[in-house]
Amino acid sequence: MAGASGLGTGPGAAGGDGDDSLYPIAVLIDELRNEDVQLRLNSIKKLSTIALALGVERTRSELLPFLTDTIYDEDEVLLALAEQLGNFTGLVGGPDFAHCLLPPLENLATVEETVVRDKAVESLRQISQEHTPVALEAYFVPLVKRLASGDWFTSRTSACGLFSVCYPRASNAVKAEIRQQFRSLCSDDTPMVRRAAASKLGEFAKVLELDSVKSEIVPLFTNLASDEQDSVRLLAVEACVSIAQLLSQDDLETLVMPTLRQAAEDKSWRVRYMVADKFSELQKAMGPKITLNDLIPAFQNLLKDCEAEVRAAAAHKVKELGENLPIEDRETIIMNQILPYIKELVSDTSPHVKSALASVIMGLSTILGKENTIEHLLPLFLAQLKDECPEVRLNIISNLDCVNEVIGIRQLSQSLLPAIVELAEDAKWRVRLAIIEYMPLLAGQLGVEFFDEKLNSLCMAWLVDHVYAIREAATNNLMKLVQKFGTEWAQNTIVPKVLVMANDPNYLHRMTTLFCINALSEACGQEITTKQMLPIVLKMAGDQVANVRFNVAKSLQKIGPILDTNALQGEVKPVLQKLGQDEDMDVKYFAQEAISVVAQRLRKLDFPVKDSGEGSVPRADKNHFPRPRVPGEDTGKGPVYQLHGDTRDTLAQLEIAELVHFSQSRD
């Protein structure tokens, strides 16, 4: 099947004279007909290489007709083709020939799979910008008209996304035709087409003249906002934001607000949800006067909506609503018209609503000031800190910095502590993990004395949690606390408690000691590391569990750069050499790796180093690659893994081979 290209599918198609210049297109056809989807997909992804090999004329005359007429494939292949064609203008001869790319993309814009159609429309929009105004009317606008009048709904939905890119550069007569086509799609019999038109209504309105917006777009908006399908009505709400930005205050009041009021009270909760979700954008577009007269009452209704999803969406917008209000009226409006509804939401029956409110309510403190925060908001914060839902308590704690700027965290400390303790011991490990991440922030705000008295024991308890992710996060938490409170605090408070864990009967807890030392050594400095931490690490080299021993080797490698030369040569190196002769292969491997790092450290310090003579072990655990050998190294253990100096050249050769793949003959 040569398709429109008129070519055969084998090497013989090159012709009797032995010229193999046609071979790339033959390879493409062969691979496109292959039963293996991956081969066909790879072939499509190499279209640019093939087009380069063919040249612009043969790409236009052979490749594109073939793609237009003979491609009926899997969706992922068509998706790749639609994406490739969007960047093909330069490969067909530049903007003068961009119209050659329209036929295959037109076909792709009519397929059943939505993702393929969307990608084809995206490529068509991209190519439309490269058309001259004359070519746009000659080639692109007729394509849009064909799609808009197609028998199958798929082509009509694709057309909706193309009106806005061709309208600005069209002549007045053509503009009138385009507007007429769009109007017909907005009243299409198929709900999917009306949905597509509603989703592009705001985008289309932005490129129209103001008179056309008032006379044509606003009536379309009104009709779509009262459509029988709620999926169409909710998209009209989204378009309202773009339309409102184009109109004056008087026009907004008379043309848009009646429809928006209707949407805010729509019988479908999905439409009301969309109004709540887009409330901040609507507020900015409508202006302060309409916000005060119409949007605030609508927002109050959304906050007490019968559907929890709507109340949660509205609660999320409380802070943004306050920030967008005029500065002079902001405090009064929130206190008198919004706060009473917020107080009801604090005890809402839905945890999603309470969680949404808790994520933003702290931000109101910066808007209302210190006195109002203490008198009105603080009781709400305290109530949420005692909420039975862990997400609510967590959202309050995660935004404490907002309150700290206004009233100081001490006001919350008495209620804060029980909430933190409950979250720290929550059955869900992800909740425990989240509170750990906020601990450095809390520590900085509460101060070292309060932290040592109330929270230190919690931080140490996390180190022996049964979930590894918690132990890991607790280790990183200690490092951040040391950076915040200083090395003296670490030496007196943290380090002794960590080192005691080295004698724990549970080997996982002993390993946590090593992880803590790895994290704390850099923050604590050389003196504390050498005098307090190093002896414990060296002692643990004799542990009965191999996992502990090879983590000792990794720890010595980690803290090596911090230690002085005497400690490295006199204490660390002998222990590593002993571990290098361990019976466990993993221990040997990590010991040898650590020896190499320590040796390099000593060489940099001009300290005499003797070769240990220890061979490395070719096997590593599944999470580590064998270390690269130095040139000439011989382990006596057979072949070794090496990194060659010509790796970059090899990669370059592979890239060249990939480029010339289609010009080489194959058996």
Side-chain angles (χ1 to χ4, degrees):
M1 180 181 71
S5 66
L7 295 174
T9 59
D17 59 355
D19 179 14
D20 64 352
S21 62
L22 299 182
Y23 186 64
I25 191 67
V27 171
L28 170 66
I29 296 171
D30 281 343
E31 293 194 351
L32 281 175
R33 301 172 76 189
N34 197 294
E35 293 182 0
D36 187 348
V37 175
Q38 192 59 47
L39 265 181
R40 299 201 301 275
L41 185 60
N42 291 341
S43 174
I44 289 295
K45 290 181 177 178
K46 293 169 185 171
L47 276 181
S48 58
T49 303
I50 295 166
L52 281 171
L54 288 173
V56 294
E57 289 188 10
R58 291 180 61 197
T59 296
R60 295 196 301 267
S61 62
E62 299 171 17
L63 180 58
L64 291 180
F66 169 75
L67 294 173
T68 304
D69 296 339
T70 64
I71 295 267
Y72 301 97
D73 210 326
E74 300 289 336
D75 292 332
E76 60 180 325
V77 177
L78 298 181
L79 178 64
L81 177 60
E83 184 175 7
Q84 289 282 318
L85 290 176
N87 302 310
F88 240 59
T89 304
L91 299 171
V92 296
D96 291 341
F97 298 96
H99 62 273
C100 297
L101 297 170
L102 299 182
L105 284 170
E106 182 177 356
N107 284 355
L108 291 169
T110 63
V111 301
E112 191 170 354
E113 177 54 48
T114 306
V115 179
V116 178
R117 291 202 310 270
D118 290 347
K119 182 58 70 173
V121 169
E122 183 182 324
S123 293
L124 282 169
R125 290 169 64 94
Q126 188 174 334
I127 291 170
S128 71
Q129 304 303 320
E130 295 163 348
H131 281 66
T132 61
V134 175
L136 193 77
E137 291 196 9
Y139 300 106
F140 196 87
V141 173
L143 175 146
V144 176
K145 291 179 180 178
R146 287 195 299 274
L147 290 174
S149 57
D151 294 333
W152 195 238
F153 79 91
T154 54
S155 66
R156 303 201 296 276
T157 56
S158 294
C160 294
L162 299 175
F163 288 103
S164 62
V165 293
C166 61
Y167 186 88
R169 293 191 291 155
S171 61
N172 289 333
V174 174
K175 283 182 176 179
E177 294 178 17
I178 292 174
R179 294 197 302 272
Q180 174 58 40
Q181 290 273 8
F182 191 81
R183 284 200 302 273
S184 66
L185 292 179
C186 287
S187 57
D188 195 275
D189 293 337
T190 309
M192 286 81 81
V193 178
R194 298 201 301 276
R195 275 205 300 269
S199 68
K200 299 298 180 183
L201 182 64
E203 179 185 290
F204 189 47
K206 289 180 179 178
V207 300
L208 261 65
E209 301 79 8
L210 183 59
D211 290 341
S212 297
V213 172
K214 293 180 183 179
S215 62
E216 299 186 41
I217 294 297
V218 170
L220 292 177
F221 162 68
T222 304
N223 291 336
L224 290 170
S226 57
D227 193 274
E228 61 182 14
Q229 297 282 331
D230 63 353
S231 60
V232 177
R233 299 201 299 273
L234 66 88
L235 289 170
V237 173
E238 195 169 348
C240 180
V241 176
S242 300
I243 296 171
Q245 292 170 345
L246 305 172
L247 301 175
S248 65
Q249 287 288 305
D250 292 339
D251 290 332
L252 285 174
E253 185 62 51
T254 56
L255 300 176
V256 177
M257 275 314 301
T259 306
L260 187 57
R261 291 190 200 101
Q262 175 186 324
E265 299 173 355
D266 196 276
K267 61 184 178 181
S268 169
W269 71 266
R270 296 170 64 197
V271 178
R272 302 197 302 274
Y273 175 90
M274 183 61 77
V275 174
D277 189 55
K278 298 292 178 184
F279 201 87
S280 298
E281 292 94 321
L282 288 168
Q283 183 185 359
K284 291 177 183 177
M286 294 295 179
K289 182 180 177 182
I290 293 178
T291 295
L292 189 58
N293 295 335
D294 291 287
L295 294 188
I296 293 294
F299 191 72
Q300 292 172 337
N301 291 331
L302 294 171
L303 286 173
K304 61 179 183 179
D305 196 273
C306 59
E307 292 291 338
E309 288 84 353
V310 178
R311 297 198 301 276
H316 261 302
K317 300 297 177 181
V318 165
K319 179 185 173 184
E320 292 180 25
L321 170 76
E323 291 173 339
N324 294 333
L325 289 171
I327 296 176
E328 61 275 10
D329 301 325
R330 186 179 293 174
E331 184 178 329
T332 305
I333 294 173
I334 294 176
M335 292 297 299
N336 297 334
Q337 301 188 54
I338 302 299
L339 194 60
Y341 296 90
I342 292 177
K343 290 179 179 178
E344 293 181 16
L345 293 183
V346 169
S347 55
D348 197 273
T349 55
S350 169
H352 299 295
V353 175
K354 292 187 290 186
S355 180
L357 181 64
S359 66
V360 296
I361 191 173
M362 308 290 273
L364 292 178
S365 58
T366 55
I367 299 174
L368 297 180
K370 185 173 182 178
E371 291 184 7
N372 286 326
T373 297
I374 293 174
E375 184 178 351
H376 297 284
L377 293 182
L378 189 57
L380 303 182
F381 300 157
L382 297 177
Q384 289 182 306
L385 277 172
K386 298 173 185 176
D387 196 275
E388 61 184 11
C389 178
E391 283 79 8
V392 175
R393 303 195 298 270
L394 195 60
N395 282 342
I396 290 292
I397 291 171
S398 64
N399 290 285
L400 280 174
D401 52 330
C402 299
V403 178
N404 190 41
E405 294 173 6
V406 180
I407 63 172
I409 206 168
R410 290 286 176 179
Q411 296 274 3
L412 282 171
S413 59
Q414 295 305 315
S415 296
L416 189 60
L417 188 60
I420 292 174
V421 171
E422 285 187 36
L423 288 169
E425 298 170 350
D426 195 273
K428 298 176 183 176
W429 69 268
R430 293 184 188 277
V431 175
R432 301 199 300 276
L433 182 63
I435 193 62
I436 292 174
E437 292 172 354
Y438 292 113
M439 193 55 67
L441 171 68
L442 291 172
Q445 293 171 349
L446 292 167
V448 65
E449 292 180 7
F450 186 91
F451 182 84
D452 283 344
E453 181 185 352
K454 307 291 187 182
L455 299 178
N456 196 322
S457 57
L458 272 181
C459 293
M460 301 309 298
W462 284 323
L463 292 173
V464 294
D465 195 279
H466 64 278
V467 177
Y468 172 74
I470 301 297
R471 299 197 299 273
E472 182 183 37
T475 301
N476 294 329
N477 174 53
L478 288 185
M479 179 181 66
K480 294 174 183 176
L481 291 174
V482 171
Q483 292 170 346
K484 194 172 288 288
F485 290 150
T487 56
E488 184 178 348
W489 173 82
Q491 186 174 9
N492 297 329
T493 309
I494 294 296
V495 174
K497 295 179 180 178
V498 168
L499 298 183
V500 167
M501 292 169 55
N503 300 317
D504 195 289
N506 188 329
Y507 85 97
L508 292 174
H509 300 168
R510 300 200 296 277
M511 285 172 59
T512 302
T513 301
L514 294 171
F515 299 150
C516 288
I517 289 173
N518 294 346
L520 295 175
S521 58
E522 189 173 348
C524 290
Q526 186 183 86
E527 184 178 354
I528 296 175
T529 302
T530 304
K531 291 182 178 178
Q532 292 185 255
M533 299 182 189
L534 180 59
I536 299 298
V537 178
L538 297 176
K539 179 183 175 184
M540 295 176 72
D543 198 281
Q544 294 179 347
V545 179
N547 290 45
V548 176
R549 296 200 300 278
F550 77 63
N551 273 290
V552 167
K554 292 167 75 172
S555 292
L556 290 174
Q557 177 181 337
K558 171 74 175 176
I559 68 176
I562 300 168
L563 302 174
D564 58 32
T565 53
N566 291 329
L568 285 173
Q569 184 69 15
E571 300 179 68
V572 173
K573 192 175 178 184
V575 170
L576 287 175
Q577 288 173 339
K578 182 179 178 182
L579 291 174
Q581 298 173 349
D582 197 277
E583 60 185 14
D584 186 271
M585 298 290 281
D586 290 324
V587 177
K588 285 183 183 179
Y589 170 75
F590 288 111
Q592 188 65 34
E593 202 174 53
I595 287 172
S596 300
V597 173
V598 170
Q600 289 174 9
R601 164 80 170 158
L602 291 172
R603 287 192 190 98
K604 286 181 182 178
L605 298 171
D606 294 329
F607 199 90
V609 181
K610 293 182 180 180
D611 291 333
S612 66
E614 294 296 325
S616 63
V617 181
R619 183 180 75 85
D621 77 350
K622 64 184 179 182
N623 295 319
H624 292 80
F625 293 105
R627 69 177 182 86
R629 312 295 182 194
V630 296
E633 179 181 3
D634 184 8
T635 65
K637 303 263 184 171
V640 296
Y641 293 86
Q642 293 184 349
L643 292 178
H644 297 286
D646 61 347
T647 302
R648 189 177 298 174
D649 295 337
T650 304
L651 291 172
Q653 291 168 5
L654 288 172
E655 291 176 1
I656 293 170
E658 177 72 7
L659 287 173
V660 301
H661 169 69
F662 289 100
S663 63
Q664 295 174 342
S665 61
R666 299 188 301 182
D667 291 336

